[in-house]
Amino acid sequence: MKKIKISDISKEYKNTDLSSNMEDYIEAIAMLSERNRIVRVKDIAGKLNIKMPSVTAALSKLKEVNLIEYEKYGFIELTGEGKRIAERICQRHFCLKDFFQIILLLSSEEAEDVACKLEHDISPEACRQIHKFLDFYNTEENLNRDWTKRLKNILSQ
Amino acid sequence: MKKIKISDISKEYKNTDLSSNMEDYIEAIAMLSERNRIVRVKDIAGKLNIKMPSVTAALSKLKEVNLIEYEKYGFIELTGEGKRIAERICQRHFCLKDFFQIILLLSSEEAEDVACKLEHDISPEACRQIHKFLDFYNTEENLNRDWTKRLKNILSQ
DNA sequence: TGACATAATTAGGAAAAACTAATATTATTA
DNA sequence: TAATAATATTAGTTTTTCCTAATTATGTCA
């Protein structure tokens, strides 16, 4: 079970000024570059379930606004600003995923799916409240409160 | 404070197979026809913050798929199927709004905004869990449980 | 190293949604 | 009822995002 620290409350869950789509590309690049040493057009296409030409087009736009560095047929890397934005998107993603998985007891996959969809539209304020809730819940749960058991019971039905 | 009945759990929060946009049009028409006896293109445009020609185009599509009845320069009305779909969208909307307002203590306006955005992307399963949670919370709250006070305290900070 | 496979790009197009400007219809009221 | 105001529609664009087919570049291995 993921533990969320009080200090994490400092997260602001700021908006990015990007379209949902562009956020998806940034997020995919960030996640892929954590796993693999290089990120390929094909990988991004695979992750987002689209064809390569769509990726190429998106990369041009992201390069245009200085969120990635790349040359034709070359490497794909987030710039500093790209990384900062990826961080924001991922924070919202994980906040939502934790909430749906830990509190609402959706399966990991279902929670992942929901997070992927909602992360683009949830407001920073709403995300901060969810974060506080998670924080509260984890503390209470550690104390083995009765209400969390009753809640789990109801949510499992 | 809105009270949610156990029986409401029967809500399925099914998907609609419409784009977010089309869902917005259907929802707007449903809400407007509750208040006014007739629904005008101008009203829909006002509610959705877009211009009239965009509405006209959307109405053609909705008519095409038999979700509304209307003739040029005439009345706009949801068909039976249109109403059933509007009902689904509104159920998700109010479920989300209640959650963000009652549990997470967002202002009514902020909760409304968030609900409007998320209602198109949240999965039925996730919505059902939120519903159960609301139900649980209302019961617990009625018993004036200590944990709801602690939670409110934290969320108000 | 040359042939073949893999990966990436370009070119061209389609669908969804929105817009402005121009036109047409309906409603109001003097 | 004729003139004006309010509404609605059409025509024509734009932007975003995706696609297929064709081409180009890169990488591999016999």
Side-chain angles (χ1 to χ4, degrees):
Chain A
M1 175 101 44
K2 205 167 292 169
K3 181 78 178 301
I4 288 173
K5 298 173 217 78
I6 301 265
S7 61
D8 288 346
I9 285 285
S10 67
K11 283 175 186 164
E12 297 182 73
Y13 298 111
K14 275 193 213 160
N15 287 327
T16 67
D17 297 335
L18 295 175
S19 68
S20 297
N21 257 286
M22 289 300 131
E23 285 192 355
D24 277 334
Y25 282 109
I26 290 285
E27 190 181 13
I29 294 168
M31 288 182 169
L32 287 168
S33 54
E34 269 192 21
R35 306 214 173 290
N36 321 331
R37 61 195 187 306
I38 61 161
V39 178
R40 296 211 281 327
V41 170
K42 192 194 160 201
D43 300 329
I44 300 172
K47 185 151 185 77
L48 298 179
N49 245 295
I50 56 180
K51 299 297 160 69
M52 288 199 290
S54 306
V55 176
T56 302
L59 293 180
S60 297
K61 288 188 195 164
L62 291 174
K63 184 183 178 176
E64 198 62 37
V65 293
N66 290 306
L67 295 179
I68 62 169
E69 281 179 61
Y70 101 117
E71 302 305 326
K72 268 169 204 167
Y73 299 101
F75 297 127
I76 300 163
E77 262 187 314
L78 293 172
T79 60
E81 179 63 5
K83 281 178 195 160
R84 276 189 289 279
I85 286 181
E87 180 63 19
R88 289 192 210 164
I89 299 166
C90 289
Q91 280 177 2
R92 286 188 310 213
H93 179 97
F94 290 121
C95 178
L96 286 165
K97 183 175 180 193
D98 281 354
F99 176 75
F100 283 103
Q101 186 172 357
I102 298 172
I103 312 286
L104 295 187
L105 301 185
L106 294 185
S107 71
S108 174
E109 298 73 33
E110 173 80 7
E112 179 70 24
D113 285 354
V114 173
C116 271
K117 286 182 183 160
L118 302 191
E119 69 192 12
H120 306 297
D121 291 314
I122 188 128
S123 72
E125 180 61 16
C127 221
R128 280 193 290 272
Q129 293 301 86
I130 290 174
H131 191 131
K132 287 187 210 164
F133 189 104
L134 271 165
D135 221 38
F136 170 78
Y137 186 84
N138 281 316
T139 308
E140 294 275 313
E141 195 181 47
N142 286 338
L143 294 172
N144 219 1
R145 298 280 187 180
D146 188 47
W147 75 269
T148 65
K149 288 180 199 159
R150 290 198 304 280
L151 175 58
K152 277 186 186 172
N153 235 27
I154 284 185
L155 290 177
S156 306
Q157 279 162 19
Chain B
M1 173 104 43
K2 203 167 294 168
K3 181 79 179 300
I4 289 173
K5 297 174 219 77
I6 300 264
S7 61
D8 288 346
I9 285 285
S10 66
K11 284 175 186 167
E12 295 183 73
Y13 298 110
K14 273 193 214 161
N15 287 327
T16 68
D17 296 336
L18 295 176
S19 68
S20 299
N21 257 285
M22 290 300 130
E23 286 191 355
D24 277 334
Y25 283 107
I26 290 285
E27 189 181 13
I29 294 168
M31 288 181 168
L32 287 167
S33 55
E34 269 192 20
R35 307 215 174 289
N36 320 330
R37 61 197 186 306
I38 61 161
V39 178
R40 295 210 284 323
V41 170
K42 193 196 160 200
D43 300 330
I44 300 172
K47 185 152 185 77
L48 299 180
N49 244 295
I50 57 180
K51 299 297 160 68
M52 288 197 290
S54 307
V55 175
T56 303
L59 294 180
S60 298
K61 288 187 198 167
L62 291 173
K63 184 184 176 175
E64 197 62 34
V65 294
N66 291 306
L67 296 179
I68 62 170
E69 280 179 62
Y70 101 117
E71 302 305 327
K72 269 169 206 171
Y73 299 100
F75 297 127
I76 300 163
E77 263 187 314
L78 293 173
T79 61
E81 179 62 6
K83 281 177 194 158
R84 276 188 290 280
I85 286 181
E87 181 63 20
R88 289 192 211 165
I89 299 166
C90 289
Q91 281 177 2
R92 287 188 310 214
H93 179 97
F94 291 119
C95 178
L96 285 166
K97 182 174 181 195
D98 281 353
F99 177 74
F100 282 103
Q101 187 173 354
I102 298 171
I103 312 285
L104 295 187
L105 302 185
L106 293 186
S107 71
S108 174
E109 298 74 31
E110 173 78 8
E112 179 70 25
D113 284 354
V114 173
C116 272
K117 287 182 183 161
L118 302 191
E119 70 192 10
H120 307 297
D121 292 314
I122 189 130
S123 73
E125 179 61 16
C127 221
R128 281 193 289 272
Q129 293 299 86
I130 290 175
H131 191 132
K132 286 189 210 163
F133 188 104
L134 271 164
D135 220 39
F136 170 77
Y137 186 84
N138 281 318
T139 309
E140 293 276 311
E141 194 182 47
N142 286 340
L143 295 173
N144 217 3
R145 297 281 186 178
D146 187 47
W147 75 270
T148 65
K149 289 180 198 159
R150 289 199 304 280
L151 175 58
K152 277 186 185 171
N153 236 27
I154 284 186
L155 290 176
S156 306
Q157 280 162 19

